[in-house]
Amino acid sequence: VTATYHDSSNRSIDGSYSYWITPYSSHLPQSPELLESSALASGTIYNVTIDQHAADYHLGNIRIPKAKLWWPHTHGDQPLYTVQVIFRSSDNAYESRADTTFGVRTVSSETGAASKSFTLKINGHPIFLAGGNWITADQ
């Protein structure tokens, strides 16, 4: 997970990033205490110094225990999660929040050596794609 911080000045800011991952809800809790009580994963990275106009800060790899996998339409459920990230300056004079919604899944592809067929796999299972420019074999 990477957080991007934008500041219109070129001054350094010391602070910390906190993050919470929760099951998706259209109503995000605003207080850290409420976020903590419903979080599947959370953490804080202290002693962050941002000394650029725009800075990316890698929060690390985050494990979500017993994450439910997202599946394409007609193949299963589409469970979603929300990650909320807060940057707070050390002197508490500045706070910035951002959140985004995401699903957990793997995507891979294979090309058959002999047949040159192409297979797309979601969560390790082959998925047949139909859509634009797909023409049935008998036409």
Side-chain angles (χ1 to χ4, degrees):
V1 174
T2 300
T4 303
Y5 172 81
H6 299 278
D7 183 24
S8 58
S9 70
N10 287 325
R11 61 189 171 96
S12 294
I13 297 178
D14 294 326
S16 62
Y17 276 107
S18 297
Y19 63 87
W20 299 267
I21 296 176
T22 57
Y24 173 75
S25 170
S26 58
H27 305 295
L28 279 176
Q30 292 302 309
S31 75
E33 295 79 19
L34 289 175
L35 281 166
E36 192 67 42
S37 69
S38 61
L40 300 172
S42 64
T44 300
I45 295 94
Y46 296 98
N47 302 319
V48 176
T49 298
I50 299 174
D51 54 8
Q52 309 178 50
H53 174 65
D56 287 344
Y57 192 83
H58 184 67
L59 299 175
N61 296 325
I62 300 170
R63 292 191 180 273
I64 302 172
K66 299 180 183 175
K68 295 178 181 173
L69 296 178
W70 179 96
W71 291 92
H73 179 64
T74 72
H75 292 275
D77 293 333
Q78 291 88 34
L80 296 175
Y81 298 92
T82 299
V83 61
Q84 186 170 63
V85 178
I86 298 175
F87 176 79
R88 187 173 291 120
S89 63
S90 297
D91 61 4
N92 288 324
Y94 180 80
E95 180 178 291
S96 178
R97 295 172 178 250
D99 60 75
T100 191
T101 301
F102 66 96
V104 176
R105 50 103 178 106
T106 63
V107 177
S108 62
S109 63
E110 291 179 0
T111 303
S115 66
K116 304 229 189 274
S117 62
F118 176 80
T119 303
L120 180 71
K121 292 184 175 185
I122 304 293
N123 302 325
H125 296 275
I127 301 292
F128 178 74
L129 298 178
N133 289 336
W134 180 74
I135 300 171
T136 59
D138 61 353
Q139 288 191 1

